[in-house]
Amino acid sequence: TLANLLDVPLIIGDATTLTEAGYVGEDVQSLVQKLYNRAGKDVSKTEKGIIYIDEIDKIAADKAGGRRDVGGRSVQEALLKLVEDTEVKVGVPPVGMPISNNDSEATVSTKNILFIFGGAFVGLENSSKEKDLDNKVIGFQTTSSNVQKETFKGEYTHEMFIKFGFIPELMGRIPLIAKLEELKKENLIDILVKPKNSIVKQYKKLFEIE
């Protein structure tokens, strides 16, 4: 909603579909192509866009070792190049796809694209047993008491994500880490009932039609 209000192009990708270039699946540069399409093929608008990548915890490096880790470390290294300010060629369809008259190659710099990564990170707390992580909060209900507790208690650190299976170089490019509060029953009811196009209102309308 914020992206729409600010007229900033936003795409949401899924890390589980990403693979290293040359393997079956989407390579990370396809995210920039999608953003370019969302921006109406405007390069300057694309370069100020937002790429949100969900399920990022699913590409933690394979700790088994020995075998080729196609979906883990290699994808992280490809993402690192993308986040590190690189130039990506967009506008031309993938090999094997027909080229239309509207297709023209362009180059997009990722320097000012905002990358946001999200994931559940089940078991992350085990990366640092001695740290108390309960009081790291984000949101409108943050109080001064929360902030005071946070100062004295532990919090999620880059080291914990590295132990979880992320390469230090990528974590070094992610300056901010935030833990989201779990949704409570009241929040879930609000989501179902309050929005203008909420699912409950839609069903009411369908029942009225019936």
Side-chain angles (χ1 to χ4, degrees):
T1 301
L2 283 172
N4 287 336
L5 289 170
L6 296 168
D7 193 26
V8 174
L10 162 75
I11 60 132
I12 298 174
D14 188 337
T16 55
T17 64
L18 298 175
T19 59
E20 188 181 5
Y23 287 87
V24 175
E26 289 186 283
D27 63 54
V28 294
Q29 296 198 348
S30 65
L31 295 168
V32 180
Q33 176 68 54
K34 285 180 181 175
L35 188 65
Y36 177 68
N37 294 338
R38 179 63 56 86
K41 300 193 173 178
D42 181 332
V43 171
S44 62
K45 207 170 176 183
T46 305
E47 291 181 338
K48 296 183 179 70
I50 302 169
I51 294 177
Y52 176 83
I53 306 176
D54 203 6
E55 303 280 3
I56 198 74
D57 51 308
K58 304 300 188 294
I59 61 161
D62 183 9
K63 298 178 186 70
R67 61 190 178 85
R68 183 86 169 127
D69 186 17
V70 176
R73 186 182 178 89
S74 57
V75 176
Q76 290 183 45
E77 287 168 351
L79 276 172
L80 174 63
K81 287 177 192 166
L82 206 62
V83 177
E84 264 188 334
D85 176 19
T86 189
E87 294 197 335
V88 178
K89 290 206 180 325
V90 292
V92 177
V95 177
M97 296 293 286
I99 297 175
S100 71
N101 294 331
N102 298 326
D103 290 324
S104 58
E105 190 175 289
T107 303
V108 170
S109 167
T110 62
K111 183 178 182 180
N112 293 316
I113 292 176
L114 174 63
F115 288 90
I116 304 174
F117 301 103
F121 294 98
V122 176
L124 182 65
E125 288 85 351
N126 299 332
S127 302
S128 184
K129 297 272 188 188
E130 70 280 3
K131 293 184 184 292
D132 179 4
L133 306 166
D134 293 334
N135 294 302
K136 180 73 175 168
V137 293
I138 187 171
F140 297 108
Q141 296 179 8
T142 305
T143 63
S144 56
S145 61
N146 289 137
V147 174
Q148 283 175 342
K149 284 178 189 172
E150 187 186 308
T151 308
F152 300 110
K153 301 280 186 179
E155 56 184 29
Y156 287 114
T157 65
H158 288 81
E159 288 72 27
M160 292 169 71
F161 287 92
I162 291 166
K163 284 181 185 173
F164 190 82
F166 282 85
I167 59 174
E169 297 85 351
L170 181 61
M171 290 314 302
R173 287 283 171 180
I174 303 174
L176 301 175
I177 299 171
K179 176 187 173 187
L180 300 178
E181 292 178 351
E182 285 189 21
L183 290 169
K184 298 183 175 65
K185 185 178 177 181
E186 295 75 24
N187 304 134
L188 295 168
I189 292 169
D190 285 349
I191 291 166
L192 285 170
V193 175
K194 287 190 175 177
K196 192 164 66 174
N197 63 339
S198 76
I199 194 76
V200 170
K201 288 176 185 171
Q202 290 181 42
Y203 270 102
K204 277 184 179 178
K205 188 70 180 174
L206 283 171
F207 290 144
E208 281 173 14
I209 293 166
E210 285 292 324

